[in-house]
Amino acid sequence: PFLFVSGREVVSDRALLRGLGITQVVNCAGLHVRNHFEAFGPAEAAEAAEAAAAAEEEEGEEGRGPAKVDHKGSGSSIKYLTLHMVDSAHVEDVTWFVYDVIGAVEAERLQGGATLVHCVQGVSRSCAFAAAYLMWASDQASAASGQQKAPLLGFQGPKLGYAEALARVKARRGVASPNVGFAAGLTQWAKLRA
């Protein structure tokens, strides 16, 4: 799997993220949830490098080999796309962000990575974007079917509308329930793509 959905409870557990192979996080609740493992800025990266060098020297002198210091600024940092959205049917138009999220998820998939899309509870914003990605992917598979390419993500047959895509998300995350504004936006988006 390369696309995961959750609430904020998962995003601070580095071991779990690594275990799932998560290489990118789409934070749909940037106003409420911080990016826990985002790469350091230049000043913090310099401090981390100095600390790592000092630890390597210390351990190397004791004959145990170089120390492995895991800083969020190291090569193992997680990429982030942060959206400062509110979960409101009357304030946000989810379609403003759809192509940014789809582009990030697809780019990571093509590089062999996995993306976690999360919001506060993992019910509305994140599930709306998971459904949008599935709708888009079914479009791509439908377009490719006449070109003798393997179907993307195992999609065969007609394009997925919003209800069908949400049903697939709900099959994996039973609490999925995008707010009425997000649902209306994605339903309209589906009509525009038809």
Side-chain angles (χ1 to χ4, degrees):
F2 65 89
L3 180 59
F4 297 83
V5 177
S6 81
R8 71 171 145 203
E9 68 280 352
V10 172
V11 298
S12 62
D13 187 338
R14 184 178 276 247
L16 178 60
L17 296 177
R18 279 194 181 145
L20 293 171
I22 302 297
T23 53
Q24 174 175 248
V25 171
V26 176
N27 179 353
C28 302
L31 296 170
H32 306 288
V33 183
R34 72 182 183 93
N35 297 335
H36 290 273
F37 308 110
E38 197 164 30
F40 288 126
E44 293 91 346
E47 286 177 25
E50 287 176 23
E56 281 182 24
E57 273 183 39
E58 185 178 305
E59 288 223 12
E61 290 171 4
E62 294 176 11
R64 293 184 297 208
K68 298 204 181 211
V69 180
D70 186 20
H71 293 287
K72 53 186 184 171
S74 70
S76 63
S77 66
I78 294 173
K79 293 180 257 182
Y80 283 85
L81 171 61
T82 305
L83 308 176
H84 299 281
M85 296 180 69
V86 266
D87 188 3
S88 170
H90 305 291
V91 176
E92 296 286 2
D93 179 353
V94 72
T95 61
W96 293 342
F97 306 100
V98 164
Y99 288 107
D100 289 334
V101 174
I102 289 170
V105 171
E106 185 64 3
E108 201 65 16
R109 181 187 77 82
L110 292 172
Q111 293 174 13
T115 300
L116 169 68
V117 182
H118 81 84
C119 52
V120 175
Q121 295 179 328
V123 173
S124 185
R125 288 167 278 198
S126 57
C127 293
F129 285 117
Y133 180 84
L134 293 177
M135 293 162 67
W136 174 84
S138 74
D139 288 353
Q140 303 309 302
S142 179
S145 65
Q147 300 171 8
Q148 302 209 293
K149 294 181 182 176
L152 178 67
L153 306 176
F155 282 111
Q156 294 177 344
K159 296 178 182 183
L160 294 179
Y162 172 70
E164 297 87 2
L166 182 59
R168 288 190 182 205
V169 173
K170 279 188 174 215
R172 297 294 186 134
R173 183 149 180 92
V175 297
S177 184
N179 75 46
V180 70
F182 294 169
L186 291 177
T187 300
Q188 184 62 32
W189 183 63
K191 290 177 183 174
L192 294 173
R193 294 176 9 265

